[in-house]
Structures are given as C-alpha cells and as structure tokens.
Amino acid sequence: MIKVLSRAWGRLGAALFAVALGVAGFSGAARAELRIDITRGNVDPIPIAIPAFGGGDEQSSRVGADLAGVLQADLERSGLFRGIDPRAFIQSFASMQVQPRFPDWQAINAQGLVQGRAEVQADGRLRVEFRLWDVFSTQQLKAQAYVTEPGNWRRIAHIIADAVYERLTGESGYFDTRIVYIAENGPATKRIKRLAIMDQDGANHRFLTDGADLVLTPRFSPSLQEITYMSYYNGVPRVYLYNIDSGKRERLGDFPGMTFAPRFSPDGNRVIMSMARGGSSDIYTMDLRTLERRRLTNTPAIDTSPSYSPDSQRIAFNSDRGGNQQLYVMNADGSGVRRISHGAGLYATPVWSPRGDYIAFTKIAQGRFFIGVMKPDGTGERLLSDGYLVEGPTWAPNGRVLMYFRQTPSDSRGRGGDSYLYSIDLTGYNERRVVTPVQASDPAWSPLIP
Amino acid sequence: MNAPVPGTPEHFIANAKDRVFFAFDRSDLDESAVKTLMGQTAWLKTYPNTKVTVEGHADERGTREYNLALGERRANAVKQFLKAQGIADARVKVISYGKERPAVIGSNEYAWAQNRRAVTVVAK
C-alpha cells in the first residue's frame, strides 16, 4: 500500500510516498518493550545505534550517511536519546535483508537500533527504508519505506525521527517542522530585524525580508503557507500576511489604529490581533475570506496577545484591566471573561498548547522574566525557565516542547543585549540553544508539515 | 554656527524640550512632563502650520506586544494633553515603537528611565 504523505510545500515540492512494511516479530521474548516516558523529565537518554543508511553506490551511500546523521541529531536534541559512537558498532549491514545480530548490539548496550538503507534508483528517485529494532526484546517496532526526490532527503530524516520518537514515546513527533522568527543585528538603538524561516534543526535557513522595515512577532498559519506578522512598512505599524511560496506581502485590513499581536485561528480562516487607538488596545478578529472585522473586547485597558484554544471555543489574552498585566480567558465571541493568573507578578503572552492542556506564558516578577505554563483554568502554574529577559513561548506541535527567546542584559557601552532562541521540554528539562546564523527573537513553531 | 530657521524641526529641538518621561508601566504625565508639554504647546501655537508625530516608547522590562500598546498609550497621553491646550487633533499623529527603539543602551535604571518616553517630532 502506498500513500501520498505530502503535498507540494515550499521548495520541497516533490511528492513523497510512504510504504508501510510488514512489522515482524523475531522472537517470543518476554522482556518489556522499549518505551520512553516523557512525562517524567530528566530521564537518562536511551542509547540508540543509527548506522549510516548504506546504499549500493557512492551517491546513495553519501545520502544514507547524511540522513543517518540528521536523524541522530534530531533524536539527540530531544534529550531522550544518546547516539552511540559508530566506531563501537560490531555489525555492519550489507542490506536490509540482513537481520541484526542482537548480541552484537546488546554488547555495546544499544537499546534501540535504526537499520536503514538509502538508494538512488534508476529513475533518479530516492528510496529510503528503515526498521526500528528493540535490541533487548529483539522485536521490530516500526518499519517504513519512502520514495521521493533526492533533494528531500533531510525531510525523510525528520519524518523517520518523528516515527521513531512516536513509536518509543507514544507522543507524536515534532522534527518535520519549521521555525519562523525574527533575525536581528545591529545596535539596540538601530536594531535591524528581518523575518527568517528555517527547518526545526536550523537547516534551509532563509531571510524573507530585507531589514528595511521593522518586523515583529511572526506566526504560522495552520496550512504553513502563510505567516502573519507585524511590520512598520512605510512607517505605519500594521499586521501583514506573508505568503511563503510567492513571497507576496499584504496588509491585513484597513484599521484606523496600529494593529499588532496577530495570530491565526486554528482553522486558519481568521486572524486575531489587537488594535491600539486613543490609548486603549482591544482585540479584534478578521475573517480572511469575508474580510469581516469583529471587535471582541471594549475597555479602556490594554487587551493584547490573544491566542485561540485548539478547539477555537476560547481565547486567552493578557490585559491590565485589573490594574496590571494578567492572563484572562474568554469565549470566542468575547463573552465570559475570566481572569486565570493569580500569582505575584505580571503575566503576558499566553499561548494555548496545541493539545489544549496548558497555556504557556511569560511572567515578570522580582525583576526577572520567566517562561511558565498553567492549566487553562489557571491552576497548576509551573515555571520552566528564567533569566534577565526570557519571552514569547511557542509550542512544538506535540505540545511537549516549547521555544522562546532569551536576551542578556547590556551595559552602557552596548556590550551584551544578545538575543537567541532556546527550547525546553514541558518538564522543565533539556533547555538548549537553537542555533541561528544571527541573533534571534520571536520564534514561532510550525505545525507538522502535512 | 547658524541659528535654526524658525518653525523647523531643528528650531523645535533648540527651543522646546522634545520628550517626556514616564514611570514603569505608567502613562500619566508628571509635573515635569506637563512643563515640557506646555513649552511644546507654546512653540506649536507660534508655528501653527507645523505638524508633529508623538513617538511612544517603553523600556526593555516588559513584553514586546504589551509594550507596543503601552507606547501607544503614552504617545496618546501627550496627544490628549496638546489637544486640551488647543492644538488641533489633525496636527498630532501618534506612533508606538514599544521597546524596539531605545534612546539609551543599557540594562540599568538610568537607561530604562530614559527609554520610557514620548518624543514629539516635528514633521519636515
């Protein structure tokens, strides 16, 4: 059975086919299956062996080695896996028909083994096949084959990483995704900011704007074809749409005041944002098909940073209507407003998890900034990271990893003030820098690429 | 050195204070701000054909989106004051830069206080 996994998407336009292979058990081992509980936090990384995906010729072997490297790097960045040094490997695979000699892999304490093969076929297309083995129970846990254009090899690596992650954790993966963010350079007083996009692992990096206009807070549409963001184009700060394929930019609506803090609705048909006018900021939605505008809040306060719940029924936002910045939740029509943050400090930038179970936020307390999560009813607040300035969490599509930016303090001579992206697990462990070619802020994580 | 031509942006800077400052997360005008804005009002009445943009700013100790709103609120506080003094609405535009354009670099109280500001800029 062959199914089409992907439709045209950006420059990786080629169709991608996946073939589910038979999953065969090779023994009746009584041993418990390899499984990773990611809700615990700070687990010891699982040792996993990922030999180069060998191929029949030089080109295939090169692709196979690169592919295994990208796959291993993905899994290691999750903090759940530790790749075993290939120099320790005893067995090498001449073909997919060769069964693993499990004692050889047990001897180097590999718990998981990804056996794979990459082959550039006679028709020029790339065929990649992998099998995930539980080395100690000697079970095959997952097997899949893909046929695509050779240029898609990195995506295949990410898709396999997602498959391995999902099979071993029970959670969907987040490796076949992209990040849109603001690339920054120059002194703070004349900072140059550009829209930039890259794969989740930093590859295929591209600047989307040239830095002539100040741009802020990009967010993906669920279709991944569009980004909504804020731009000071022509000195008029407004919300814009950017089409990734065509590069076309379009101002969203004709609002009399500054529009900012945009975010797509989960179905992608609306953008929710703030408009500031006369000293007050209120929340509006705009239907992208009818261009109908709807006002959801109407107070003299600052109401901003709106974010839909994944079922579109509710909206989280922050407001100073109670005297200072706190988090509120309201129904999608603006009714039923309820404050949900009650801790000491200021709360901002609520972002609903794609799973619906948490709202991530930025908190300011005692002169420091924090990234935290709470349940949508405001209970269970947990702070995951802190610093002089950490801000703007965004969720991985599985709702188990967050990304945000961290800015260091600067001195009067302009030293410091560096801004970079970081990711962290929902458990509060595995905080790590996300590598970008220049300084970075305002990350937004894409959904899984369809 | 030539004296600035009356009615020009340079002349405004030389003859009126161009900015007012705010407390953390506040947009109310204190005594010193009122004095500054009275000076701006006098200049604007002397040169009635000029237009201004009030640029509202915040320090780096807030979140980006909230600070955009706060900057707009500060710029609007200045606009409303000028309006109350008889400066026509149409002469005063506002724009917020949030925390995007600090005047003074540094993560210290002095820099933050200098950056929590609304700056009146005369159109060329």
Side-chain angles (χ1 to χ4, degrees):
Chain A
M1 198 168 61
I2 291 178
K3 65 172 177 166
V4 179
L5 257 192
S6 112
R7 56 193 174 77
W9 198 73
R11 58 181 209 76
L12 301 179
L16 177 67
F17 298 93
V19 187
L21 304 178
V23 175
F26 279 87
S27 80
R31 208 188 152 92
E33 186 178 279
L34 176 58
R35 192 168 178 87
I36 304 171
D37 177 5
I38 67 168
T39 62
R40 222 156 36 88
N42 201 25
V43 290
D44 282 338
I46 299 290
I48 191 164
I50 308 177
F53 284 25
D57 56 70
E58 199 187 321
Q59 188 196 357
S60 302
S61 293
R62 197 169 54 240
V63 171
D66 290 347
L67 200 152
V70 168
L71 166 61
Q72 178 165 326
D74 276 353
L75 294 174
E76 288 187 337
R77 271 196 320 283
S78 76
L80 303 175
F81 300 91
R82 177 174 62 76
I84 295 174
D85 187 338
R87 285 173 298 188
F89 297 167
I90 301 163
Q91 182 184 17
S92 63
F93 293 101
S95 85
M96 289 303 283
Q97 275 61 57
V98 174
Q99 297 298 328
R101 287 193 307 269
F102 291 106
D104 285 1
W105 298 100
Q106 291 162 1
I108 61 170
N109 199 31
Q111 294 194 42
L113 167 67
V114 182
Q115 177 188 9
R117 189 165 178 85
E119 201 82 60
V120 179
Q121 303 178 139
D123 64 2
R125 290 163 72 78
L126 173 68
R127 184 176 193 280
V128 180
E129 182 180 350
F130 84 95
R131 292 172 194 274
L132 170 65
W133 298 96
D134 180 338
V135 170
F136 284 87
S137 76
T138 72
Q139 297 283 325
Q140 181 182 297
L141 300 177
K142 182 92 183 169
Q144 196 94 27
Y146 309 88
V147 179
T148 185
E149 300 305 318
N152 280 350
W153 69 269
R154 290 193 76 97
R155 275 205 64 198
I156 299 294
H158 296 315
I159 288 168
I160 294 173
D162 283 332
V164 170
Y165 180 97
E166 180 167 1
R167 183 64 184 80
L168 295 180
T169 66
E171 304 278 350
S172 62
Y174 55 91
F175 302 112
D176 190 25
T177 55
R178 295 173 120 184
I179 307 295
V180 61
Y181 74 98
I182 298 296
E184 302 193 2
N185 61 286
T189 49
K190 289 181 259 184
R191 198 79 159 161
I192 291 171
K193 297 197 172 193
R194 287 179 284 179
L195 267 183
I197 192 168
M198 62 185 186
D199 294 350
Q200 145 281 133
D201 64 349
N204 294 313
H205 187 279
R206 196 151 62 95
F207 294 108
L208 301 179
T209 62
D210 61 8
D213 309 307
L214 177 62
V215 291
L216 303 169
T217 63
R219 278 94 194 223
F220 275 107
S221 84
S223 73
L224 281 76
Q225 306 297 322
E226 279 191 311
I227 293 164
T228 183
Y229 66 109
M230 186 205 187
S231 170
Y232 280 71
Y233 177 69
N234 274 345
V236 183
R238 291 293 185 274
V239 167
Y240 281 75
L241 295 177
Y242 181 98
N243 186 293
I244 296 174
D245 292 336
S246 68
K248 198 176 141 237
R249 277 170 266 184
E250 181 192 344
R251 191 162 97 175
L252 187 58
D254 187 21
F255 286 84
M258 171 177 74
T259 47
F260 62 108
R263 218 175 263 283
F264 281 95
S265 61
D267 65 6
N269 290 332
R270 271 159 294 157
V271 169
I272 190 165
M273 63 193 137
S274 283
M275 180 180 76
R277 207 185 177 201
S280 145
S281 291
D282 284 299
I283 294 172
Y284 290 75
T285 57
M286 177 151 223
D287 190 302
L288 298 177
R289 298 158 303 181
T290 64
L291 301 182
E292 189 194 341
R293 186 194 302 173
R294 186 160 179 197
R295 183 176 189 160
L296 297 183
T297 68
N298 192 348
T299 72
I302 291 173
D303 296 332
T304 192
S305 303
S307 167
Y308 275 101
S309 62
D311 65 4
S312 299
Q313 297 302 301
R314 287 179 291 167
I315 295 159
F317 63 103
N318 82 210
S319 175
D320 69 346
R321 60 182 65 193
N324 62 22
Q325 234 178 321
Q326 298 291 336
L327 304 186
Y328 292 78
V329 168
M330 62 184 172
N331 297 325
D333 63 0
S335 68
V337 178
R338 202 163 56 82
R339 177 170 160 179
I340 61 163
S341 62
H342 296 284
L346 305 178
Y347 290 80
T349 77
V351 190
W352 222 299
S353 159
R355 298 163 66 113
D357 52 356
Y358 287 103
I359 290 172
F361 56 81
T362 307
K363 180 175 183 172
I364 306 168
Q366 278 133 27
R368 290 184 75 73
F369 281 58
F370 302 83
I371 301 295
V373 295
M374 61 174 66
K375 291 181 182 157
D377 65 2
T379 63
E381 175 175 329
R382 262 190 312 121
L383 300 177
L384 307 180
S385 184
D386 75 310
Y388 172 73
L389 199 168
V390 288
E391 183 182 338
T394 179
W395 291 92
N398 71 353
R400 285 297 172 258
V401 184
L402 290 148
M403 195 179 291
Y404 52 92
F405 71 93
R406 173 183 295 279
Q407 188 182 312
T408 59
S410 60
D411 67 18
S412 54
R413 292 159 69 179
R415 288 175 303 203
D418 299 323
S419 183
Y420 290 104
L421 308 186
Y422 284 78
S423 65
I424 196 166
D425 291 357
L426 182 55
T427 54
Y429 292 98
N430 192 35
E431 183 173 46
R432 56 180 73 209
R433 168 117 166 252
V434 178
V435 177
T436 48
V438 293
Q439 293 195 34
S441 62
D442 294 0
W445 212 317
S446 82
L448 281 172
I449 298 173
Chain B
M1 240 179 31
N2 294 332
V5 178
T8 60
E10 297 72 27
H11 187 262
F12 175 78
I13 302 237
N15 289 274
K17 288 182 180 163
D18 72 340
R19 62 195 61 197
V20 297
F21 301 100
F22 300 89
F24 177 75
D25 200 15
R26 303 291 304 203
S27 58
D28 40 326
L29 303 166
D30 63 14
E31 207 176 310
S32 148
V34 166
K35 205 173 148 204
T36 297
L37 295 179
M38 290 307 290
Q40 292 185 7
T41 302
W43 191 92
L44 288 166
K45 285 186 170 168
T46 309
Y47 302 100
N49 295 323
T50 54
K51 291 186 170 186
V52 298
T53 298
V54 183
E55 301 176 346
H57 299 269
D59 67 25
E60 66 184 10
R61 303 311 285 153
T63 45
R64 192 178 317 289
E65 291 174 344
Y66 181 85
N67 276 1
L68 287 169
L70 182 58
E72 196 270 348
R73 186 186 263 174
R74 286 171 174 163
N76 191 69
V78 169
K79 180 185 166 88
Q80 291 308 316
F81 183 92
L82 296 176
K83 189 179 168 185
Q85 301 308 308
I87 306 299
D89 228 15
R91 292 179 68 193
V92 185
K93 284 203 293 191
V94 299
I95 187 169
S96 172
Y97 287 99
K99 61 175 172 177
E100 305 307 317
R101 289 286 177 264
V104 174
I105 296 176
S107 298
N108 54 68
E109 294 290 349
Y110 171 76
W112 298 333
Q114 290 292 305
N115 291 335
R116 293 189 296 261
R117 70 201 191 278
V119 183
T120 304
V121 180
V122 175
K124 285 197 170 67

